[in-house]
PDB file of all heavy atoms in Angstrom:
ATOM      1  N   GLU K  61       3.045 -11.118  -0.192  1.00  0.00           N
ATOM      2  CA  GLU K  61       4.502 -11.234  -0.291  1.00  0.00           C
ATOM      3  C   GLU K  61       4.906 -12.053  -1.512  1.00  0.00           C
ATOM      4  O   GLU K  61       5.869 -11.712  -2.207  1.00  0.00           O
ATOM      5  CB  GLU K  61       5.063 -11.860   0.989  1.00  0.00           C
ATOM      6  CG  GLU K  61       4.990 -10.925   2.196  1.00  0.00           C
ATOM      7  CD  GLU K  61       5.396 -11.612   3.489  1.00  0.00           C
ATOM      8  OE1 GLU K  61       5.539 -12.864   3.475  1.00  0.00           O
ATOM      9  OE2 GLU K  61       5.565 -10.913   4.507  1.00  0.00           O
ATOM     10  N   ARG K  62       4.160 -13.128  -1.772  1.00  0.00           N
ATOM     11  CA  ARG K  62       4.456 -13.945  -2.956  1.00  0.00           C
ATOM     12  C   ARG K  62       4.213 -13.149  -4.237  1.00  0.00           C
ATOM     13  O   ARG K  62       5.006 -13.226  -5.185  1.00  0.00           O
ATOM     14  CB  ARG K  62       3.596 -15.214  -2.956  1.00  0.00           C
ATOM     15  CG  ARG K  62       4.018 -16.257  -1.941  1.00  0.00           C
ATOM     16  CD  ARG K  62       3.400 -17.610  -2.261  1.00  0.00           C
ATOM     17  NE  ARG K  62       1.949 -17.553  -2.295  1.00  0.00           N
ATOM     18  CZ  ARG K  62       1.171 -17.787  -1.245  1.00  0.00           C
ATOM     19  NH1 ARG K  62       1.714 -18.075  -0.072  1.00  0.00           N
ATOM     20  NH2 ARG K  62      -0.149 -17.721  -1.359  1.00  0.00           N
ATOM     21  N   ALA K  63       3.113 -12.389  -4.243  1.00  0.00           N
ATOM     22  CA  ALA K  63       2.781 -11.596  -5.433  1.00  0.00           C
ATOM     23  C   ALA K  63       3.835 -10.523  -5.680  1.00  0.00           C
ATOM     24  O   ALA K  63       4.239 -10.288  -6.829  1.00  0.00           O
ATOM     25  CB  ALA K  63       1.407 -10.948  -5.261  1.00  0.00           C
ATOM     26  N   ILE K  64       4.303  -9.878  -4.607  1.00  0.00           N
ATOM     27  CA  ILE K  64       5.316  -8.830  -4.752  1.00  0.00           C
ATOM     28  C   ILE K  64       6.643  -9.419  -5.212  1.00  0.00           C
ATOM     29  O   ILE K  64       7.337  -8.840  -6.056  1.00  0.00           O
ATOM     30  CB  ILE K  64       5.483  -8.057  -3.426  1.00  0.00           C
ATOM     31  CG1 ILE K  64       4.230  -7.214  -3.161  1.00  0.00           C
ATOM     32  CG2 ILE K  64       6.715  -7.163  -3.471  1.00  0.00           C
ATOM     33  CD1 ILE K  64       4.240  -6.487  -1.834  1.00  0.00           C
ATOM     34  N   GLU K  65       6.996 -10.584  -4.665  1.00  0.00           N
ATOM     35  CA  GLU K  65       8.228 -11.246  -5.106  1.00  0.00           C
ATOM     36  C   GLU K  65       8.142 -11.609  -6.582  1.00  0.00           C
ATOM     37  O   GLU K  65       9.120 -11.475  -7.329  1.00  0.00           O
ATOM     38  CB  GLU K  65       8.480 -12.503  -4.261  1.00  0.00           C
ATOM     39  CG  GLU K  65       9.019 -12.222  -2.874  1.00  0.00           C
ATOM     40  CD  GLU K  65      10.320 -11.444  -2.899  1.00  0.00           C
ATOM     41  OE1 GLU K  65      11.219 -11.813  -3.688  1.00  0.00           O
ATOM     42  OE2 GLU K  65      10.438 -10.457  -2.150  1.00  0.00           O
ATOM     43  N   GLU K  66       6.969 -12.052  -6.992  1.00  0.00           N
ATOM     44  CA  GLU K  66       6.765 -12.387  -8.404  1.00  0.00           C
ATOM     45  C   GLU K  66       6.868 -11.129  -9.263  1.00  0.00           C
ATOM     46  O   GLU K  66       7.453 -11.159 -10.352  1.00  0.00           O
ATOM     47  CB  GLU K  66       5.396 -13.041  -8.589  1.00  0.00           C
ATOM     48  CG  GLU K  66       5.148 -13.535 -10.006  1.00  0.00           C
ATOM     49  CD  GLU K  66       3.817 -14.254 -10.152  1.00  0.00           C
ATOM     50  OE1 GLU K  66       3.248 -14.670  -9.123  1.00  0.00           O
ATOM     51  OE2 GLU K  66       3.353 -14.398 -11.296  1.00  0.00           O
ATOM     52  N   GLU K  67       6.299 -10.023  -8.755  1.00  0.00           N
ATOM     53  CA  GLU K  67       6.395  -8.752  -9.476  1.00  0.00           C
ATOM     54  C   GLU K  67       7.855  -8.318  -9.607  1.00  0.00           C
ATOM     55  O   GLU K  67       8.285  -7.860 -10.668  1.00  0.00           O
ATOM     56  CB  GLU K  67       5.601  -7.665  -8.746  1.00  0.00           C
ATOM     57  CG  GLU K  67       4.104  -7.768  -8.896  1.00  0.00           C
ATOM     58  CD  GLU K  67       3.623  -7.294 -10.255  1.00  0.00           C
ATOM     59  OE1 GLU K  67       4.437  -6.765 -11.038  1.00  0.00           O
ATOM     60  OE2 GLU K  67       2.423  -7.462 -10.536  1.00  0.00           O
ATOM     61  N   LYS K  68       8.608  -8.453  -8.517  1.00  0.00           N
ATOM     62  CA  LYS K  68      10.021  -8.062  -8.542  1.00  0.00           C
ATOM     63  C   LYS K  68      10.785  -8.877  -9.577  1.00  0.00           C
ATOM     64  O   LYS K  68      11.608  -8.343 -10.325  1.00  0.00           O
ATOM     65  CB  LYS K  68      10.647  -8.254  -7.154  1.00  0.00           C
ATOM     66  CG  LYS K  68      10.202  -7.229  -6.129  1.00  0.00           C
ATOM     67  CD  LYS K  68      10.864  -7.494  -4.788  1.00  0.00           C
ATOM     68  CE  LYS K  68      10.435  -6.478  -3.748  1.00  0.00           C
ATOM     69  NZ  LYS K  68      11.057  -6.755  -2.421  1.00  0.00           N
ATOM     70  N   SER K  69      10.495 -10.177  -9.596  1.00  0.00           N
ATOM     71  CA  SER K  69      11.160 -11.051 -10.558  1.00  0.00           C
ATOM     72  C   SER K  69      10.781 -10.670 -11.984  1.00  0.00           C
ATOM     73  O   SER K  69      11.646 -10.579 -12.873  1.00  0.00           O
ATOM     74  CB  SER K  69      10.773 -12.506 -10.279  1.00  0.00           C
ATOM     75  OG  SER K  69      11.344 -13.366 -11.242  1.00  0.00           O
ATOM     76  N   ASN K  70       9.478 -10.427 -12.193  1.00  0.00           N
ATOM     77  CA  ASN K  70       9.011 -10.048 -13.529  1.00  0.00           C
ATOM     78  C   ASN K  70       9.599  -8.711 -13.968  1.00  0.00           C
ATOM     79  O   ASN K  70       9.996  -8.539 -15.127  1.00  0.00           O
ATOM     80  CB  ASN K  70       7.485  -9.973 -13.553  1.00  0.00           C
ATOM     81  CG  ASN K  70       6.834 -11.336 -13.423  1.00  0.00           C
ATOM     82  OD1 ASN K  70       7.464 -12.358 -13.687  1.00  0.00           O
ATOM     83  ND2 ASN K  70       5.578 -11.365 -13.004  1.00  0.00           N
ATOM     84  N   GLN K  71       9.655  -7.762 -13.026  1.00  0.00           N
ATOM     85  CA  GLN K  71      10.197  -6.450 -13.362  1.00  0.00           C
ATOM     86  C   GLN K  71      11.699  -6.514 -13.612  1.00  0.00           C
ATOM     87  O   GLN K  71      12.228  -5.791 -14.463  1.00  0.00           O
ATOM     88  CB  GLN K  71       9.875  -5.449 -12.255  1.00  0.00           C
ATOM     89  CG  GLN K  71       8.403  -5.067 -12.217  1.00  0.00           C
ATOM     90  CD  GLN K  71       8.122  -3.905 -11.297  1.00  0.00           C
ATOM     91  OE1 GLN K  71       8.956  -3.033 -11.109  1.00  0.00           O
ATOM     92  NE2 GLN K  71       6.931  -3.882 -10.719  1.00  0.00           N
ATOM     93  N   GLN K  72      12.378  -7.386 -12.880  1.00  0.00           N
ATOM     94  CA  GLN K  72      13.811  -7.556 -13.120  1.00  0.00           C
ATOM     95  C   GLN K  72      14.043  -8.123 -14.517  1.00  0.00           C
ATOM     96  O   GLN K  72      14.924  -7.657 -15.250  1.00  0.00           O
ATOM     97  CB  GLN K  72      14.421  -8.481 -12.069  1.00  0.00           C
ATOM     98  CG  GLN K  72      15.936  -8.611 -12.203  1.00  0.00           C
ATOM     99  CD  GLN K  72      16.529  -9.471 -11.107  1.00  0.00           C
ATOM    100  OE1 GLN K  72      15.882 -10.371 -10.590  1.00  0.00           O
ATOM    101  NE2 GLN K  72      17.765  -9.205 -10.744  1.00  0.00           N
ATOM    102  N   ASN K  73      13.228  -9.110 -14.877  1.00  0.00           N
ATOM    103  CA  ASN K  73      13.337  -9.690 -16.218  1.00  0.00           C
ATOM    104  C   ASN K  73      13.001  -8.648 -17.284  1.00  0.00           C
ATOM    105  O   ASN K  73      13.648  -8.582 -18.334  1.00  0.00           O
ATOM    106  CB  ASN K  73      12.401 -10.892 -16.351  1.00  0.00           C
ATOM    107  CG  ASN K  73      12.841 -12.062 -15.490  1.00  0.00           C
ATOM    108  OD1 ASN K  73      14.015 -12.184 -15.147  1.00  0.00           O
ATOM    109  ND2 ASN K  73      11.898 -12.920 -15.121  1.00  0.00           N
ATOM    110  N   LYS K  74      11.977  -7.838 -16.984  1.00  0.00           N
ATOM    111  CA  LYS K  74      11.588  -6.788 -17.927  1.00  0.00           C
ATOM    112  C   LYS K  74      12.702  -5.746 -18.047  1.00  0.00           C
ATOM    113  O   LYS K  74      12.982  -5.244 -19.148  1.00  0.00           O
ATOM    114  CB  LYS K  74      10.295  -6.122 -17.456  1.00  0.00           C
ATOM    115  CG  LYS K  74       9.725  -5.119 -18.447  1.00  0.00           C
ATOM    116  CD  LYS K  74       8.474  -4.449 -17.898  1.00  0.00           C
ATOM    117  CE  LYS K  74       7.340  -5.431 -17.769  1.00  0.00           C
ATOM    118  NZ  LYS K  74       6.077  -4.760 -17.327  1.00  0.00           N
ATOM    119  N   ALA K  75      13.334  -5.432 -16.907  1.00  0.00           N
ATOM    120  CA  ALA K  75      14.423  -4.449 -16.914  1.00  0.00           C
ATOM    121  C   ALA K  75      15.581  -4.934 -17.783  1.00  0.00           C
ATOM    122  O   ALA K  75      16.143  -4.170 -18.580  1.00  0.00           O
ATOM    123  CB  ALA K  75      14.904  -4.188 -15.491  1.00  0.00           C
ATOM    124  N   ILE K  76      15.927  -6.202 -17.628  1.00  0.00           N
ATOM    125  CA  ILE K  76      17.022  -6.770 -18.427  1.00  0.00           C
ATOM    126  C   ILE K  76      16.659  -6.761 -19.911  1.00  0.00           C
ATOM    127  O   ILE K  76      17.490  -6.439 -20.773  1.00  0.00           O
ATOM    128  CB  ILE K  76      17.332  -8.205 -17.953  1.00  0.00           C
ATOM    129  CG1 ILE K  76      17.896  -8.169 -16.527  1.00  0.00           C
ATOM    130  CG2 ILE K  76      18.320  -8.883 -18.894  1.00  0.00           C
ATOM    131  CD1 ILE K  76      18.062  -9.535 -15.893  1.00  0.00           C
ATOM    132  N   LYS K  77      15.395  -7.085 -20.200  1.00  0.00           N
ATOM    133  CA  LYS K  77      14.936  -7.091 -21.591  1.00  0.00           C
ATOM    134  C   LYS K  77      15.027  -5.692 -22.194  1.00  0.00           C
ATOM    135  O   LYS K  77      15.515  -5.519 -23.323  1.00  0.00           O
ATOM    136  CB  LYS K  77      13.492  -7.597 -21.653  1.00  0.00           C
ATOM    137  CG  LYS K  77      12.920  -7.626 -23.060  1.00  0.00           C
ATOM    138  CD  LYS K  77      11.472  -8.100 -23.047  1.00  0.00           C
ATOM    139  CE  LYS K  77      10.888  -8.076 -24.459  1.00  0.00           C
ATOM    140  NZ  LYS K  77       9.460  -8.487 -24.464  1.00  0.00           N
ATOM    141  N   ILE K  78      14.573  -4.678 -21.446  1.00  0.00           N
ATOM    142  CA  ILE K  78      14.609  -3.306 -21.950  1.00  0.00           C
ATOM    143  C   ILE K  78      16.047  -2.816 -22.083  1.00  0.00           C
ATOM    144  O   ILE K  78      16.389  -2.113 -23.037  1.00  0.00           O
ATOM    145  CB  ILE K  78      13.785  -2.383 -21.031  1.00  0.00           C
ATOM    146  CG1 ILE K  78      12.300  -2.701 -21.201  1.00  0.00           C
ATOM    147  CG2 ILE K  78      14.056  -0.912 -21.332  1.00  0.00           C
ATOM    148  CD1 ILE K  78      11.383  -1.889 -20.334  1.00  0.00           C
ATOM    149  N   PHE K  79      16.889  -3.198 -21.123  1.00  0.00           N
ATOM    150  CA  PHE K  79      18.311  -2.835 -21.220  1.00  0.00           C
ATOM    151  C   PHE K  79      18.891  -3.366 -22.526  1.00  0.00           C
ATOM    152  O   PHE K  79      19.590  -2.649 -23.253  1.00  0.00           O
ATOM    153  CB  PHE K  79      19.079  -3.402 -20.029  1.00  0.00           C
ATOM    154  CG  PHE K  79      20.564  -3.137 -20.079  1.00  0.00           C
ATOM    155  CD1 PHE K  79      21.089  -1.974 -19.543  1.00  0.00           C
ATOM    156  CD2 PHE K  79      21.432  -4.050 -20.666  1.00  0.00           C
ATOM    157  CE1 PHE K  79      22.460  -1.718 -19.590  1.00  0.00           C
ATOM    158  CE2 PHE K  79      22.795  -3.805 -20.723  1.00  0.00           C
ATOM    159  CZ  PHE K  79      23.311  -2.637 -20.184  1.00  0.00           C
ATOM    160  N   ASN K  80      18.587  -4.613 -22.835  1.00  0.00           N
ATOM    161  CA  ASN K  80      19.105  -5.225 -24.063  1.00  0.00           C
ATOM    162  C   ASN K  80      18.518  -4.573 -25.312  1.00  0.00           C
ATOM    163  O   ASN K  80      19.188  -4.492 -26.352  1.00  0.00           O
ATOM    164  CB  ASN K  80      18.816  -6.725 -24.060  1.00  0.00           C
ATOM    165  CG  ASN K  80      19.644  -7.473 -23.027  1.00  0.00           C
ATOM    166  OD1 ASN K  80      20.761  -7.064 -22.706  1.00  0.00           O
ATOM    167  ND2 ASN K  80      19.102  -8.555 -22.497  1.00  0.00           N
ATOM    168  N   GLU K  81      17.262  -4.112 -25.211  1.00  0.00           N
ATOM    169  CA  GLU K  81      16.647  -3.433 -26.353  1.00  0.00           C
ATOM    170  C   GLU K  81      17.308  -2.079 -26.610  1.00  0.00           C
ATOM    171  O   GLU K  81      17.510  -1.690 -27.761  1.00  0.00           O
ATOM    172  CB  GLU K  81      15.148  -3.245 -26.099  1.00  0.00           C
ATOM    173  CG  GLU K  81      14.348  -4.536 -26.174  1.00  0.00           C
ATOM    174  CD  GLU K  81      12.881  -4.323 -25.838  1.00  0.00           C
ATOM    175  OE1 GLU K  81      12.510  -3.173 -25.502  1.00  0.00           O
ATOM    176  OE2 GLU K  81      12.110  -5.301 -25.898  1.00  0.00           O
ATOM    177  N   ILE K  82      17.629  -1.363 -25.529  1.00  0.00           N
ATOM    178  CA  ILE K  82      18.284  -0.060 -25.687  1.00  0.00           C
ATOM    179  C   ILE K  82      19.729  -0.240 -26.143  1.00  0.00           C
ATOM    180  O   ILE K  82      20.238   0.527 -26.963  1.00  0.00           O
ATOM    181  CB  ILE K  82      18.232   0.729 -24.362  1.00  0.00           C
ATOM    182  CG1 ILE K  82      16.775   0.981 -23.951  1.00  0.00           C
ATOM    183  CG2 ILE K  82      18.964   2.066 -24.497  1.00  0.00           C
ATOM    184  CD1 ILE K  82      16.626   1.593 -22.572  1.00  0.00           C
ATOM    185  N   ASP K  83      20.374  -1.280 -25.618  1.00  0.00           N
ATOM    186  CA  ASP K  83      21.776  -1.567 -25.963  1.00  0.00           C
ATOM    187  C   ASP K  83      21.834  -2.213 -27.352  1.00  0.00           C
ATOM    188  O   ASP K  83      22.047  -3.415 -27.496  1.00  0.00           O
ATOM    189  CB  ASP K  83      22.374  -2.493 -24.897  1.00  0.00           C
ATOM    190  CG  ASP K  83      23.808  -2.889 -25.216  1.00  0.00           C
ATOM    191  OD1 ASP K  83      24.496  -2.119 -25.924  1.00  0.00           O
ATOM    192  OD2 ASP K  83      24.227  -3.974 -24.763  1.00  0.00           O
ATOM    193  N   THR K  84      21.661  -1.400 -28.372  1.00  0.00           N
ATOM    194  CA  THR K  84      21.573  -1.934 -29.740  1.00  0.00           C
ATOM    195  C   THR K  84      22.897  -2.476 -30.268  1.00  0.00           C
ATOM    196  O   THR K  84      22.904  -3.369 -31.117  1.00  0.00           O
ATOM    197  CB  THR K  84      21.052  -0.845 -30.695  1.00  0.00           C
ATOM    198  OG1 THR K  84      21.854   0.334 -30.552  1.00  0.00           O
ATOM    199  CG2 THR K  84      19.599  -0.513 -30.383  1.00  0.00           C
ATOM    200  N   ASN K  85      24.024  -1.941 -29.779  1.00  0.00           N
ATOM    201  CA  ASN K  85      25.312  -2.455 -30.277  1.00  0.00           C
ATOM    202  C   ASN K  85      25.830  -3.634 -29.452  1.00  0.00           C
ATOM    203  O   ASN K  85      26.920  -4.148 -29.703  1.00  0.00           O
ATOM    204  CB  ASN K  85      26.365  -1.339 -30.332  1.00  0.00           C
ATOM    205  CG  ASN K  85      26.696  -0.785 -28.947  1.00  0.00           C
ATOM    206  OD1 ASN K  85      26.270  -1.323 -27.925  1.00  0.00           O
ATOM    207  ND2 ASN K  85      27.445   0.308 -28.920  1.00  0.00           N
ATOM    208  N   LYS K  86      25.048  -4.036 -28.460  1.00  0.00           N
ATOM    209  CA  LYS K  86      25.315  -5.242 -27.666  1.00  0.00           C
ATOM    210  C   LYS K  86      26.707  -5.257 -27.025  1.00  0.00           C
ATOM    211  O   LYS K  86      27.389  -6.285 -26.999  1.00  0.00           O
ATOM    212  CB  LYS K  86      25.140  -6.504 -28.532  1.00  0.00           C
ATOM    213  CG  LYS K  86      23.780  -6.600 -29.205  1.00  0.00           C
ATOM    214  CD  LYS K  86      22.651  -6.481 -28.199  1.00  0.00           C
ATOM    215  CE  LYS K  86      21.289  -6.476 -28.879  1.00  0.00           C
ATOM    216  NZ  LYS K  86      20.189  -6.204 -27.923  1.00  0.00           N
ATOM    217  N   ASN K  87      27.092  -4.109 -26.467  1.00  0.00           N
ATOM    218  CA  ASN K  87      28.364  -4.066 -25.737  1.00  0.00           C
ATOM    219  C   ASN K  87      28.140  -4.048 -24.232  1.00  0.00           C
ATOM    220  O   ASN K  87      29.025  -3.706 -23.453  1.00  0.00           O
ATOM    221  CB  ASN K  87      29.186  -2.849 -26.164  1.00  0.00           C
ATOM    222  CG  ASN K  87      28.516  -1.536 -25.779  1.00  0.00           C
ATOM    223  OD1 ASN K  87      27.340  -1.520 -25.410  1.00  0.00           O
ATOM    224  ND2 ASN K  87      29.255  -0.441 -25.873  1.00  0.00           N
ATOM    225  N   ASN K  88      26.892  -4.398 -23.831  1.00  0.00           N
ATOM    226  CA  ASN K  88      26.509  -4.456 -22.418  1.00  0.00           C
ATOM    227  C   ASN K  88      26.592  -3.100 -21.721  1.00  0.00           C
ATOM    228  O   ASN K  88      26.800  -3.020 -20.512  1.00  0.00           O
ATOM    229  CB  ASN K  88      27.367  -5.481 -21.660  1.00  0.00           C
ATOM    230  CG  ASN K  88      27.134  -6.890 -22.152  1.00  0.00           C
ATOM    231  OD1 ASN K  88      26.000  -7.276 -22.439  1.00  0.00           O
ATOM    232  ND2 ASN K  88      28.210  -7.657 -22.282  1.00  0.00           N
TER     233      ASN K  88
END
Side-chain angles (χ1 to χ4, degrees):
E61 289 173 349
R62 287 196 302 269
I64 290 176
E65 284 302 314
E66 185 177 342
E67 285 284 353
K68 287 180 180 179
S69 177
N70 291 339
Q71 288 190 31
Q72 184 177 29
N73 292 336
K74 186 182 293 184
I76 294 172
K77 179 182 178 182
I78 289 179
F79 177 88
N80 290 330
E81 288 177 357
I82 299 173
D83 177 26
T84 53
N85 64 9
K86 305 306 176 187
N87 65 347
N88 295 320

